[in-house]
Amino acid sequence: AMNFSVLITLISYPIATSLFPAFSKVSINDHRDSVEKMFKLSIKYTSLLIVPTSLLVALMSREAVYTLYGPEYWLAPSYLTLYILSFLYVGLGMFVLDNFFNGQGDTKATFKMSLINLLTSIPLAPTLTLYYNVLGLIASILISQLLSISYGLYLARKRYSINPDWEPITRMGFASLVSALLVYITLN
């Protein structure tokens, strides 16, 4: 399942890598409107690429796994589908928040986000894995990432009065879900 997530990583990480230099060149104190617009557009355009790709990989997981690995890996499609859901957090700013904070010199915020992720994972991962096996481990990853990103959004709003532009992200997510539903119906 992790091998297929590389498809999304090939799209997401070059974008995320280019965001840090962009945010570090413009200070929010000097150019608030520009930084706020860049923040919102970064989340919007990253979501535009990652959300549909993630849903496509999740929907086609069974076919992809069976084609490349065979039916012996009959559990892998469900693991892949669940794990790929973590990439949907891009609409919340998953790839943008770290680069925004680091670019503004607020590395403490990034550290706190990472610390929340770690401190949430430490008790959740073994506990959920013990009871639910691999699905529990993936659920612990999803929960810890969500808490970390939520804290990052809270800090962005509190310290910099910046929020993602929820309307286009919601529309994009809805359009992606509708098209994914059509693909799902066609596959079945």
Side-chain angles (χ1 to χ4, degrees), residues 104-117:
Q104 296 303 309
D106 194 357
T107 54
K108 285 183 181 180
T110 306
F111 175 73
K112 288 177 182 178
M113 287 174 58
S114 298
L115 192 61
I116 287 172
N117 196 342

Side-chain angles (χ1 to χ4, degrees), residues 2-153:
M2 296 294 285
N3 291 340
F4 287 101
S5 69
V6 172
L7 297 171
I8 299 169
T9 305
L10 287 172
I11 297 170
S12 62
Y13 279 102
I15 296 168
T17 304
S18 67
L19 289 176
F20 172 68
F23 281 120
S24 64
K25 290 192 187 293
V26 185
S27 170
I28 194 163
N29 297 327
D30 299 332
H31 305 284
R32 169 168 256 320
D33 292 340
S34 298
V35 173
E36 185 174 2
K37 185 176 181 179
M38 189 168 35
F39 179 81
K40 290 179 179 190
L41 288 175
S42 297
I43 293 175
K44 181 179 173 181
Y45 289 123
T46 306
S47 299
L48 182 66
L49 294 171
I50 304 301
V51 170
T53 306
S54 299
L55 288 174
L56 179 67
V57 171
L59 281 172
M60 301 299 291
S61 63
R62 182 170 178 251
E63 289 76 12
V65 169
Y66 283 18
T67 300
L68 293 176
Y69 296 108
E72 302 85 43
Y73 292 89
W74 59 276
L75 288 174
S78 60
Y79 299 154
L80 175 60
T81 300
L82 188 59
Y83 180 71
I84 289 299
L85 293 179
S86 69
F87 287 98
L88 296 179
Y89 292 155
V90 72
L92 300 175
M94 179 169 78
F95 295 114
V96 176
L97 285 167
D98 288 348
N99 292 300
F100 168 72
F101 290 131
N102 289 338
Q104 296 303 309
D106 194 357
T107 54
K108 285 183 181 180
T110 306
F111 175 73
K112 288 177 182 178
M113 287 174 58
S114 298
L115 192 61
I116 287 172
N117 196 342
L118 174 70
L119 293 176
T120 308
S121 294
I122 288 174
L124 278 180
T127 305
L128 292 177
T129 303
L130 178 66
Y131 290 108
Y132 302 105
N133 301 320
V134 176
L135 294 176
L137 177 62
I138 295 170
S140 73
I141 292 169
L142 291 171
I143 293 167
S144 62
Q145 283 181 342
L146 181 61
L147 291 174
S148 173
I149 293 167
S150 298
Y151 181 70
L153 286 171

